[in-house]
Amino acid sequence: MVIVRFAPSPTGYLHLGNLRTALLNWLCARQQKGKFYLRFDDTDMQRSKKIFVDQIIRDFEMLNLTLDGIYKQSCRQDRYEKTFNELLEKKCIYSCYETVEELEIKRKKLHLKGLPPIYDRASLHLSQEEKNAYENQGRKPYYRFLLHSNDVQWDDGIRGLQKISLKTLSDPVIRREDGSFLYTFTSVVDDVDLGITHIIRGEDHVTNTAVQIDMFHRIKGVAPHFSHHNLLVSSTGEGLSKRLSSLSIKELLENNFEPDTLSNYVTYIGSAHAPDPKLTLSDMVDNFSLSRYSRSSAHTNIENIRSLNAQKIQFLSDDEVVLRLKQNGYFSEDALAIWQVVKGNCIVFNDMFDMLNIIKGTIETVIDDSDYCQKAIQALPEQPWDTKSFKQWTHNISSLTGYKGKALFMPLRLALTGKESGPELSSIFPFMDKAIIIERLSGKKN
Ligand code: GLU
């Protein structure tokens, strides 16, 4: 069975790039009838916060991305300890004593010689006496994982055959002086314990993968199948980052973007399949394929998300529209008919509430020329009104005032809607109450 996981560090809110990784894993799991776990990489106690854990779980609920299990690295300390001791026993891990400053000097020396900053394994060759001497000076050991010296090769689900020589990498530090473990190690222990079969993550992890495959081989004998997707960047090309508070999923949902718009956008942008507003989450499960992802990073753009959302809401069913209107206290007999004429002016569904306020509720009117507006009142046609009534009204106004075009329409728009742009006046006019129109043209606050 396919078992995948999404493993955010809860040090900030999820952004579009994080959601892309989550979606690719989730879609893969659901298509293969496998399992999808959410794992919090919360070993950094300083920066990990409960508020982010809670929000990430809420994001998944809002996006209708079901979970088959939630795990936290902070609760798995004993597992890391046990595996650490086993590896130590097998001499796959060694203690080190260099200070940060000493390591920096080593790196600078290598740099001056034009060599890559690879750790020289000086601590690997320390005798027990030398180690004792360091400890007597008050130094505490930290630990590195002893990499093999072969090439690591894997058939990446997106990038094809990948080969990295372990000789070109430093033995990774897996445990700090204070006893805390680092992600490179804890992640492998978790993936082994949870039986993870496939790891899909951003291409910023390619080098980690070589190291982690070596760890998988030492701990379990086999490694999961890896795929590295291209990254999403901002519209100006910078990497998305929780710390730089790139547009968060929380914010986008609070701004009433449809959950499926966000899922659709992050899944298809930068792939051979353009975002498609018609697709539901279950369509996306059906046509999911890792093979269509490109290698170059994809630029995100809020305007594209807005436009995708505007298209997406055109496909809402009548039942869904009625439900949402009822839930928000906006339902009326003519509400569905109104939706049909104004939906093209909506970016998010909640814009419909503004439209209903314009048509039936309370707005700030804008009166530039009150004489003109009084004439417009006189020119109102008799009720009942139909689709031709607005034309008749403007014809009457034109006859009374001699105004035409923008000069005729803009004062009406400002008085009736309070805005310079918006839905076609001719389409909303038949739904408006004559008393409200008269009040607005008279400049009363309504
Ligand atoms: N916590 C890591 C990250 O957010 C997880 C990477 C992985 O998928 O292994 O980058």
Side-chain angles (χ1 to χ4, degrees):
M1 187 191 344
V2 166
I3 306 180
V4 295
R5 83 313 192 261
F6 170 59
S9 310
T11 54
Y13 295 123
L14 294 187
H15 55 60
L16 291 165
N18 303 131
L19 185 59
R20 179 183 189 72
T21 308
L23 247 303
L24 298 195
N25 281 283
W26 189 87
L27 292 168
C28 171
R30 294 296 169 251
Q31 188 187 60
Q32 301 299 316
K33 310 264 179 282
K35 293 209 178 298
F36 174 84
Y37 299 141
L38 175 59
R39 182 186 88 205
F40 288 105
D41 287 357
D42 57 351
T43 47
D44 182 341
M45 304 297 259
Q46 303 286 300
R47 290 176 47 224
S48 297
K49 299 269 177 322
K50 183 173 180 312
I51 168 177
F52 299 128
V53 169
D54 293 345
Q55 184 58 45
I56 291 170
I57 295 175
R58 212 169 307 137
D59 288 345
F60 273 83
E61 281 167 9
M62 296 283 292
L63 293 158
N64 302 310
L65 302 175
T66 47
L67 305 173
D68 299 309
I70 302 181
Y71 300 90
K72 281 188 187 169
Q73 293 199 321
S74 54
C75 302
R76 294 177 40 78
Q77 199 63 21
D78 51 340
R79 285 296 304 134
Y80 306 140
E81 199 73 57
K82 185 163 180 287
T83 313
F84 175 83
N85 287 328
E86 286 165 7
L87 290 175
L88 200 58
E89 187 94 342
K90 290 195 222 159
K91 303 210 181 318
C92 304
I93 291 176
Y94 58 99
S95 52
C96 301
Y97 293 87
E98 293 92 343
T99 61
V100 175
E101 294 74 25
E102 286 165 353
L103 288 173
E104 189 51 35
I105 293 170
K106 283 183 194 234
R107 270 194 291 268
K108 279 196 180 134
K109 281 190 182 156
L110 289 170
H111 182 71
L112 285 175
K113 289 189 204 157
L115 295 170
I118 304 171
Y119 176 61
D120 62 5
R121 290 185 170 165
S123 283
L124 178 63
H125 307 294
L126 292 176
S127 66
Q128 193 54 48
E129 289 70 38
E130 287 168 315
K131 290 183 188 176
N132 291 346
Y134 274 131
E135 291 188 24
N136 289 338
Q137 284 172 20
R139 294 198 189 196
K140 283 207 180 115
Y142 65 94
Y143 295 86
R144 288 185 190 262
F145 178 83
L146 181 62
L147 291 173
H148 284 106
S149 54
N150 56 308
D151 290 350
V152 166
Q153 212 166 286
W154 74 93
D155 186 14
D156 195 289
I158 294 174
R159 298 161 67 91
L161 189 65
Q162 303 289 298
K163 194 164 149 182
I164 294 184
S165 165
L166 291 174
K167 282 193 217 132
T168 63
L169 306 175
S170 291
D171 290 336
V173 175
I174 62 162
R175 192 168 199 175
R176 300 184 187 90
E177 275 176 26
D178 65 4
S180 61
F181 292 104
L182 279 101
Y183 150 80
T184 325
F185 171 70
T186 51
S187 180
V188 173
V189 176
D190 292 339
D191 290 335
V192 168
D193 284 1
L194 297 176
I196 300 300
T197 59
H198 291 69
I199 294 179
I200 307 170
R201 58 187 180 184
E203 62 189 14
D204 49 336
H205 282 289
V206 167
T207 309
N208 275 341
T209 295
V211 168
Q212 290 181 324
I213 286 181
D214 201 42
M215 284 186 189
F216 276 112
H217 286 159
R218 283 255 165 83
I219 297 173
K220 195 188 175 190
V222 286
H225 184 263
F226 281 88
S227 305
H228 297 85
H229 63 76
N230 55 352
L231 299 181
L232 301 189
V233 293
S234 72
S235 52
T236 48
E238 292 106 36
L240 303 181
S241 131
K242 286 185 202 151
R243 267 191 259 187
L244 295 176
S245 64
S246 302
L247 215 50
S248 69
I249 301 305
K250 171 179 183 280
E251 241 176 298
L252 291 162
L253 290 169
E254 280 168 1
N255 286 328
N256 301 308
F257 285 103
E258 301 288 312
D260 282 6
T261 298
L262 304 183
S263 298
N264 196 287
Y265 184 74
V266 297
T267 301
Y268 293 122
I269 178 179
S271 84
H273 186 302
D276 181 346
K278 282 194 292 304
L279 297 187
T280 62
L281 209 47
S282 99
D283 297 329
M284 287 166 57
V285 168
D286 292 343
N287 79 19
F288 175 68
S289 163
L290 277 182
S291 64
R292 55 166 77 104
Y293 289 86
S294 70
R295 291 282 294 268
S296 45
S297 44
H299 289 250
T300 55
N301 186 330
I302 187 66
E303 281 316 313
N304 294 346
I305 300 179
R306 283 163 59 82
S307 130
L308 188 65
N309 202 76
Q311 294 170 59
K312 178 115 211 130
I313 58 176
Q314 307 299 312
F315 298 106
L316 291 175
S317 68
D318 287 355
D319 287 349
E320 179 63 26
V321 171
V322 168
L323 181 73
R324 291 187 187 193
L325 290 171
K326 283 190 173 158
Q327 279 170 343
N328 289 280
Y330 277 98
F331 184 71
S332 61
E333 284 308 315
D334 53 1
L336 261 185
I338 295 176
W339 170 242
Q340 289 310 322
V341 300
V342 302
K343 65 180 181 180
N345 292 83
C346 297
I347 301 290
V348 295
F349 182 78
N350 289 24
D351 290 345
M352 167 68 172
F353 308 149
D354 296 337
M355 302 289 173
L356 288 171
N357 274 334
I358 290 174
I359 296 170
K360 296 174 181 291
T362 310
I363 60 152
E364 287 278 329
T365 54
V366 178
I367 303 287
D368 274 349
D369 178 346
S370 53
D371 282 351
Y372 176 87
C373 290
Q374 283 307 316
K375 291 198 175 109
I377 294 174
Q378 285 167 34
L380 275 168
E382 288 304 316
Q383 286 187 300
W385 293 336
D386 60 21
T387 48
K388 298 198 193 87
S389 308
F390 184 75
K391 203 162 181 208
Q392 192 194 333
W393 186 33
T394 50
H395 176 81
N396 295 348
I397 299 174
S398 188
S399 310
L400 266 177
T401 62
Y403 285 13
K404 287 199 175 66
K406 197 172 173 197
L408 185 147
F409 287 101
M410 192 49 83
L412 295 183
R413 175 174 286 290
L414 288 173
L416 296 191
T417 71
K419 292 179 186 164
E420 285 187 3
S421 60
E424 282 294 322
L425 285 183
S426 57
S427 15
I428 61 171
F429 180 77
F431 297 104
M432 293 182 81
D433 193 79
K434 189 170 182 182
I436 287 190
I437 292 184
I438 294 174
E439 273 180 22
R440 288 190 186 166
L441 287 164
S442 314
K444 293 200 184 126
K445 293 255 178 267
N446 188 336

